[in-house]
């Protein structure tokens, strides 16, 4: 495979890319430390890419604190929009292709339908808006890009909903979980495999794609599955989102249509619950 540079290597997806690269025997991949790959430092990025000369750059760096972004607009915008643009400019200079990770939160989620890449994005929170602005910036600067929107990412690495539920389930007798927000959990290991599938395909079908695991669930049903699969005994109550107000609004329905990515790259996508079983198995072994 062509040389690959991973930005944001220390985060959840970055760690999953490293794990998957090792499993697949991929060797020509560079995972620089955060201080050596700061997406807010355009000159530094250009120097990094000039030294490494990657054919592909994977951008996993993002501001992902959805609620905090409501009051931290400047930093969220800097990382998710300006940082993405900086990276796109550096890729233009070196002739590299950028694989950039975005989110289902670019959608308002006020309609029950599978969301395609052609549907109008209309974010209802700062995080979603800054991620959409990053997508727009990349598309305007760099023709050779793959933007992958994903949703509800979890894995055995970093902080995420699965690990939080397992921790809370072990500590408490009863939990209230939001039941009226519907989407698809995505195992970051599966997303990492999809990223490498796209790179290895040699395809030049650049553009915007949706990737999440298959299936549909609510946060409540996701939590119930986590407890059932892990053997955790905890009373779980479904509640409406109005009972648990957060600074940032969430899409009520953000299930994405994956037809385009499956047909373009001949990718097979696992069902969310099957992948959850794999993740929990790894967490319990560790």
């Amino acid at each position: 495979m062509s040389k690959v540079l991973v930005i944001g290597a220390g985060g959840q997806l970055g760690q999953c890319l490293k794990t998957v690269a090792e499993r697949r025997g991929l060797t020509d991949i560079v995972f620089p430390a955060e201080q050596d790959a700061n997406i807010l430092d355009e000159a530094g990025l250009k120097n990094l890419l000039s030294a490494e000369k990657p054919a592909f750059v994977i951008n996993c760096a993002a501001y992902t604190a959805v609620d905090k972004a409501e009051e931290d607009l400047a930093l969220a915008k800097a990382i998710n929009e300006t940082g993405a643009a900086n990276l796109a400019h550096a890729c233009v200079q070196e002739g590299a292709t950028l694989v950039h990770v975005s989110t289902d939160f670019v959608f308002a989620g006020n309609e029950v339908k599978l969301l395609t890449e052609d549907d109008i994005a209309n974010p209802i929170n700062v995080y979603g808006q800054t991620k959409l602005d990053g997508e727009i910036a990349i598309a305007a600067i760099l023709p050779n890009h793959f933007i992958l929107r994903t949703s509800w990412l979890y894995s055995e690495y970093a902080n995420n909903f699965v690990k939080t539920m397992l921790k809370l389930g072990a500590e408490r007798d009863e939990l209230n979980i939001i039941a009226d927000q519907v989407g698809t959990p995505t195992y970051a290991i599966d997303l990492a495999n999809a990223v490498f599938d796209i790179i290895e395909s040699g395809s030049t079908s650049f553009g915007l794609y949706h990737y999440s695991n298959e299936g549909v669930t609510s946060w409540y049903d996701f939590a119930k599955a986590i407890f059932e699969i892990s053997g955790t005994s905890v009373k779980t109550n479904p509640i409406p989102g109005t009972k648990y107000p957060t600074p940032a609004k969430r899409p009520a329905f953000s299930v994405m249509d994956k037809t385009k990515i499956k047909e373009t790259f001949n990718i097979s996508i696992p069902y969310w619950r099957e992948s959850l079983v794999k993740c929990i198995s790894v967490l319990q072994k560790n």
Side-chain angles (χ1 to χ4, degrees):
M1 190 173 73
S2 305
K3 188 172 188 179
V4 177
L5 178 69
V6 178
I7 306 294
Q12 174 169 231
L13 182 57
Q15 293 181 75
C16 287
L17 286 163
K18 198 165 197 174
T19 295
V20 169
E22 287 167 3
R23 288 178 186 171
R24 292 170 74 141
L26 306 176
T27 54
D28 206 5
I29 305 181
V30 181
F31 295 91
E34 189 177 342
Q35 63 269 24
D36 300 325
N38 181 357
I39 62 170
L40 299 183
D41 178 5
E42 186 177 0
L45 283 177
K46 286 181 175 176
N47 289 337
L48 175 65
L49 266 69
S50 178
E52 295 292 349
K53 303 238 177 310
F56 289 87
V57 177
I58 304 171
N59 183 28
C60 307
Y63 185 106
T64 58
V66 178
D67 288 319
K68 204 174 167 193
E70 293 296 310
E71 59 185 40
D72 207 3
L73 171 61
L75 184 58
K77 185 176 176 64
I79 294 171
N80 291 343
E81 181 185 354
T82 308
N86 289 342
L87 196 49
H89 283 301
C91 287
V92 168
Q93 177 181 285
E94 294 303 319
T97 295
L98 178 61
V99 182
H100 175 77
V101 180
S102 191
T103 175
D104 61 322
F105 276 27
V106 300
F107 294 109
N110 52 6
E111 199 178 347
V112 179
K113 67 182 285 282
L114 291 180
L115 295 157
T116 73
E117 292 82 355
D118 294 326
D119 282 317
I120 294 169
N122 183 25
I124 55 173
N125 57 48
V126 166
Y127 166 69
Q129 186 62 58
T130 60
K131 289 298 286 181
L132 177 60
D133 291 341
E135 291 183 10
I136 293 166
I138 289 167
I141 294 162
L142 177 68
N144 292 14
H145 67 265
F146 296 103
I147 294 170
L148 307 183
R149 289 178 181 153
T150 193
S151 64
W152 298 23
L153 215 57
Y154 72 90
S155 71
E156 46 270 41
Y157 302 107
N159 295 318
N160 56 69
F161 186 77
V162 172
K163 290 171 78 173
T164 299
M165 286 300 105
L166 289 172
K167 181 175 182 290
L168 292 177
E171 294 170 351
R172 300 187 191 175
D173 298 322
E174 192 170 349
L175 291 169
N176 297 329
I177 310 290
I178 292 172
D180 58 358
Q181 289 169 15
V182 174
T184 307
T186 306
Y187 187 25
I189 290 286
D190 293 337
L191 176 59
N193 270 304
V195 168
F196 286 129
D197 286 344
I198 290 168
I199 291 172
E200 289 185 319
S201 75
S203 173
T204 54
S205 297
F206 302 120
L208 176 64
Y209 293 89
H210 288 172
Y211 183 94
S212 66
N213 281 130
E214 297 285 24
V216 178
T217 194
S218 66
W219 289 111
Y220 169 74
D221 289 302
F222 187 19
K224 290 283 283 184
I226 292 164
F227 298 138
E228 182 187 324
I229 292 163
S230 64
T232 302
S233 181
V234 57
K235 188 172 188 289
T236 315
N237 306 312
I239 60 166
T242 51
K243 293 280 189 187
Y244 186 76
T246 54
K249 291 181 182 176
R250 265 69 168 178
F253 189 93
S254 60
V255 182
M256 297 185 293
D257 186 306
K258 277 84 70 173
T259 303
K260 183 181 175 184
I261 198 167
K262 288 190 286 190
E263 290 184 350
T264 304
F265 305 106
N266 195 29
I267 286 174
S268 176
I269 302 179
Y271 174 55
W272 71 265
R273 194 178 166 106
E274 291 167 3
S275 291
L276 179 60
V277 169
K278 289 180 184 177
C279 180
I280 289 175
S281 173
V282 172
L283 285 167
Q284 289 181 327
K285 278 178 192 165
N286 294 345

